[in-house]
């Protein structure tokens, strides 16, 4: 289980949080198939540092972005 | 060609305590300089692809390059449930193509893959489950695939350790049963395909990691870079499961995939107590008994992507709580080992099989939490696709471009999980 640093509540156990996937996925403004495919489905899924959204659902409710290394599962500071 | 296994050869082997068996497949230390097709990834799907390329499609110069040892990925880590009762016609056809091959695989490969069609029981716990399962059953019957509804009493008769107690958190309200489903021996599947492929000239190179994909000025693939040097090939088939995004990024492609840890565990061995496979998607519990006597238990995925090959304890705890409640006789069993694999999950929980925007680069991935059952069928349709350069009829709906055309095959909505 991860220990997740909520910017509002500090370190809390993972079961209080919902993972919301890759950060920085921006909704396209134009009706363009390629842009919408990328927005809806394509992900970097890296073996390495991953910028991801979390939500403290069973806590303060806040959304925030963290960087985690996907091999060690450790949170690291933003690159 | 390795010696054929027969009653006589086994008896002869027994005489000296099975000490004189030769290696069952060639394991060249390095790949050759060039091949017709290079398969990236020596799991069941990659090895099956290589086997069918050589055995059925006449492509002889094939290499399988594996970064670790063959079958060391999800093939050797899964809970081996085999079934074909998927909802959509495209999926049912693909998985049943595999199930029909399982039925004759040991003979075809001359290797005992221990396919055991002992029946897969999918438990329903609510009105919603029941409606979904009945819809599955009707859809399957229309597609010519066996699946039947059992009342709680019939489910208990089929699987005696099951409790029908009304006061558990998720009481059993019935079950769907596919009698042709069951289990197979995971290692034997990798080894059987490896042996049969090697006998037909396929080079299986282990400890050989693909580190780059070479392309010409027009963008077409020309080969791969590996930890054992460059290999030229006009066609590359990537069958790297949880690591597919990493390999495809070498050709500049972003994939509709996310890689999650999925865990399983086994108990101490006990006498035969569990006659079938039982699974409950609602509470993420999957259980069968191996021939050694261990209960083989599958759990759910973690909520975040990871390549750690280890999942969280709370996931196992949740599954074990469900198992103990559904099968109270197992409450005092001790667990022996737990492990994780990295599964490549697509947005619609259906696999991706076929070509890519990069000429010569093909991919077979996205099998996620449930691809072991598809191994022989997946290998067969992917080999056909690689050999002909166009998709096999059954593979066509599973093309990568369905994510831009919108023709998803949404087994995710159909069952949420797909073991
Ligand atoms: C715990 C668990 C339980 C499961 N239970 C079931 C089940 O009950 N029923 C079912 O049908 N399915 C199940 N699955 C899913 C099933 O295991 C997979 O879908 C299936 O085995 C995938 O086979 P594969 O050959 O594609 O992948 P793998 O066996 O993972 O093979 C991929 C190979 O590619 C290699 N590779 C990766 N990157 C590179 C590189 N750069 N260069 C060279 N080689 C590389 C890896 O080392 C690996 O050996 C389960 C999975 C897990 C983890
Ligand atoms: Zn908080």
């Amino acid at each position: 289980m991860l220990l997740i640093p909520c910017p509002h509540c500090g370190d809390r156990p993972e079961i209080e949080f919902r993972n919301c996937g890759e950060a920085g996925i921006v909704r396209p403004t134009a009706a363009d198939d390629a842009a919408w495919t990328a927005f809806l489905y394509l992900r970097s899924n890296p073996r390495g540092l991953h910028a991801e959204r979390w939500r403290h659902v069973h806590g303060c409710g806040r959304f925030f972005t963290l960087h985690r290394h996907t091999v060690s599962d450790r949170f690291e500071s933003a690159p | 060609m390795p010696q054929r296994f027969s009653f006589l050869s086994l008896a002869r082997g027994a005489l000296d305590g099975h000490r004189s068996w030769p290696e069952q497949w060639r394991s060249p230390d390095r790949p050759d300089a060039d091949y017709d097709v290079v398969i990236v990834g020596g799991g069941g799907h990659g090895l099956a692809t290589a086997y069918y390329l050589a055995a059925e499609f006449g492509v002889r110069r094939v290499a399988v390059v594996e970064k670790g040892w063959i079958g060391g990925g999800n093939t050797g880590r899964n809970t081996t449930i085999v079934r074909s009762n998927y909802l959509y016609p495209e999926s049912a056809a693909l998985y049943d193509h595999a199930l029909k091959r399982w039925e004759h695989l040991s003979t075809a490969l001359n290797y005992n893959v221990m396919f055991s069609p002992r029946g897969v029981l999918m438990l329903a716990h609510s009105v919603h489950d029941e409606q979904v399962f009945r819809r599955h059953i009707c859809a399957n019957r229309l597609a010519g695939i066996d699946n039947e509804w059992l009342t709680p009493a019939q489910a208990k008769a089929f699987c005696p350790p099951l409790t029908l107690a009304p006061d558990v958190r998720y009481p059993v309200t019935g079950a769907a049963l596919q009698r042709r489903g069951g289990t197979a021996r995971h290692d034997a599947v990798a080894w059987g395909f490896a042996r049969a492929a090697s006998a037909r000239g396929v080079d299986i190179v282990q400890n050989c990691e693909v580190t780059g994909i070479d392309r010409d000025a027009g963008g077409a693939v020309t080969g791969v870079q590996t930890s054992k040097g460059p290999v030229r090939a006009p066609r590359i088939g990537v069958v790297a499961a949880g690591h597919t995004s990493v390999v495809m990024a070498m050709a500049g492609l972003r994939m509709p995939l996310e890689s999650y840890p999925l865990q399983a565990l086994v108990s101490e061995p006990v006498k035969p107590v569990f006659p079938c496979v039982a699974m409950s998607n609602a509470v993420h519990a999957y259980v069968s008994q191996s021939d050694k006597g261990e209960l083989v238990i599958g759990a759910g995925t973690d909520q975040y992507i990871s390549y750690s090959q280890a999942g969280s304890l709370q996931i196992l705890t949740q599954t074990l709580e469900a198992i103990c409640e559904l099968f109270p006789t197992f409450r005092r069993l001790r667990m022996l080992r737990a492990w994780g694999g990295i599964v490549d999950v697509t947005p619609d929980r259906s696999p991706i099989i076929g070509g890519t925007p990069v000429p010569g680069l093909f991919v077979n991935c996205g099998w996620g939490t449930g691809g072991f059952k598809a191994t022989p069928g997946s290998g067969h349709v992917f080999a056909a696709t690689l050999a002909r350069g166009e998709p096999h009829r059954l593979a066509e709906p599973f093309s990568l471009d369905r994510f831009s055309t919108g023709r998803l095959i949404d087994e995710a909505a159909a069952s949420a999980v797909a073991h």
Side-chain angles (χ1 to χ4, degrees):
Chain A
M1 191 182 306
L2 304 177
L3 193 59
I4 299 182
C6 171
H8 189 62
C9 314
D11 286 347
R12 303 292 305 169
E14 182 200 328
I15 44 172
E16 295 180 5
F17 296 82
R18 171 104 16 96
N19 182 281
C20 307
E22 184 169 7
I25 305 284
V26 182
R27 187 184 172 94
T29 43
D32 166 58
D33 280 353
W36 274 89
T37 306
F39 167 65
L40 288 172
Y41 303 123
L42 305 186
R43 296 294 178 264
S44 17
N45 195 23
R47 186 183 162 89
L49 213 55
H50 185 232
E52 60 195 11
R53 300 289 283 165
W54 287 90
R55 184 173 188 213
H56 198 181
V57 276
H58 301 296
C60 63
R62 193 177 277 194
F63 281 94
F64 52 93
T65 300
L66 290 176
H67 291 78
R68 182 174 51 90
H69 196 287
T70 59
V71 179
S72 67
D73 284 339
R74 280 180 195 286
F75 291 106
E76 296 180 6
S77 46
Chain B
M1 196 81 179
Q3 184 194 14
R4 274 188 74 78
F5 291 122
S6 64
F7 178 74
L8 215 71
S9 74
L10 293 181
R12 220 179 293 126
L15 283 180
D16 71 350
H18 295 293
R19 268 186 294 267
S20 61
W21 290 108
E23 260 186 3
Q24 292 299 314
W25 60 87
R26 293 173 302 111
S27 201
D29 197 43
R30 321 184 63 79
D32 285 348
D34 64 290
Y35 291 93
D36 294 334
V37 176
V38 168
I39 303 292
V40 182
H45 288 226
L47 294 163
T49 305
Y51 164 74
Y52 289 114
L53 275 172
E56 279 194 31
F57 299 98
V59 184
R60 295 272 156 162
R61 294 169 56 248
V62 178
V64 177
V65 290
E66 163 55 51
K67 73 170 176 176
W69 63 97
I70 60 167
N74 294 343
T75 298
R77 297 165 185 269
N78 85 97
T79 52
T80 76
I81 300 175
V82 175
R83 61 183 181 90
S84 68
N85 50 354
Y86 282 70
L87 180 61
Y88 292 104
E90 297 88 345
S91 328
L94 180 64
Y95 287 99
D96 211 53
H97 186 62
L99 186 46
K100 289 197 182 104
R101 279 169 191 269
W102 279 114
E103 287 160 358
H104 307 286
L105 198 58
S106 294
T107 318
L109 298 179
N110 180 234
Y111 203 92
N112 188 0
V113 300
M114 297 167 72
F115 176 57
S116 162
R118 55 185 75 175
V120 175
L121 195 65
M122 297 172 78
L123 302 174
H125 303 280
S126 63
V127 176
H128 175 76
D129 278 358
E130 192 171 330
Q131 287 167 345
V132 168
F133 285 9
R134 284 185 187 274
R135 180 180 174 212
H136 265 75
I137 289 169
C138 294
N140 290 152
R141 293 228 179 137
L142 282 172
I145 289 165
D146 74 303
N147 199 1
E148 62 195 90
W149 177 254
L150 301 190
T151 62
Q154 287 170 325
K156 167 112 183 132
F158 192 76
C159 181
L162 182 66
T163 182
L164 296 183
D167 58 346
V168 300
R169 176 66 183 82
Y170 295 102
V172 175
T173 60
L177 171 64
Q178 185 176 31
R179 291 184 193 270
R180 285 162 65 228
T183 59
R185 169 85 196 154
H186 50 16
D187 295 329
V189 173
W191 299 337
F193 274 119
R195 174 174 175 269
S198 168
R200 285 162 182 79
V202 172
D203 283 349
I204 298 164
V205 190
Q206 303 183 89
N207 299 312
C208 182
E209 177 171 0
V210 168
T211 54
I213 294 177
D214 297 332
R215 297 162 71 184
D216 64 18
V221 297
T222 55
V224 291
Q225 296 291 326
T226 79
S227 54
K228 294 185 171 180
V231 184
R232 281 191 309 276
R235 283 188 188 164
I236 313 287
V238 176
V239 199
H243 284 76
T244 303
S245 295
V246 178
V247 176
M248 298 303 270
M250 296 170 193
L253 291 179
R254 254 168 100 83
M255 295 295 287
L257 291 173
E258 291 186 298
S259 297
Y260 296 95
L262 179 67
Q263 296 179 85
L265 64 172
V266 292
S267 73
E268 58 188 326
V270 289
K271 294 236 163 102
V273 283
F274 206 78
C276 61
V277 179
M279 46 192 285
S280 168
N281 292 347
V283 293
H284 281 302
Y286 312 88
V287 60
S288 64
Q289 188 173 21
S290 75
D291 293 313
K292 278 189 287 183
E294 302 154 335
L295 291 186
V296 180
I297 298 171
T301 56
D302 277 284
Q303 57 167 334
Y304 50 82
I305 68 162
S306 176
Y307 290 82
S308 62
Q309 294 223 118
S312 299
L313 187 62
Q314 82 270 16
I315 306 279
L316 293 181
T317 311
Q318 190 203 336
T319 289
L320 288 176
E321 281 166 358
I323 296 278
C324 290
E325 191 150 277
L326 288 171
F327 309 102
T329 31
F330 297 152
R331 280 195 180 151
R332 303 189 60 184
L333 268 183
R334 280 163 301 191
M335 293 298 137
L336 272 191
R337 303 188 299 279
W339 62 89
I342 300 302
V343 296
D344 44 334
V345 176
T346 58
D348 60 0
R349 303 295 189 277
S350 288
I352 299 168
I353 313 169
T356 68
V358 176
L361 185 63
F362 294 75
V363 69
N364 182 354
C365 67
W367 292 96
T369 58
F372 176 74
K373 63 176 70 66
T375 305
S378 154
H380 183 253
V381 299
F382 192 49
T385 303
L386 275 165
R388 299 179 190 140
E390 58 183 61
H392 183 279
R393 178 177 55 82
L394 295 176
E396 203 164 4
F398 296 92
S399 65
L400 180 58
D401 71 5
R402 74 175 183 271
F403 296 100
S404 32
T405 62
R407 283 201 63 85
L408 302 192
I409 303 165
D410 205 352
E411 295 290 342
S415 75
V417 286
H419 275 68

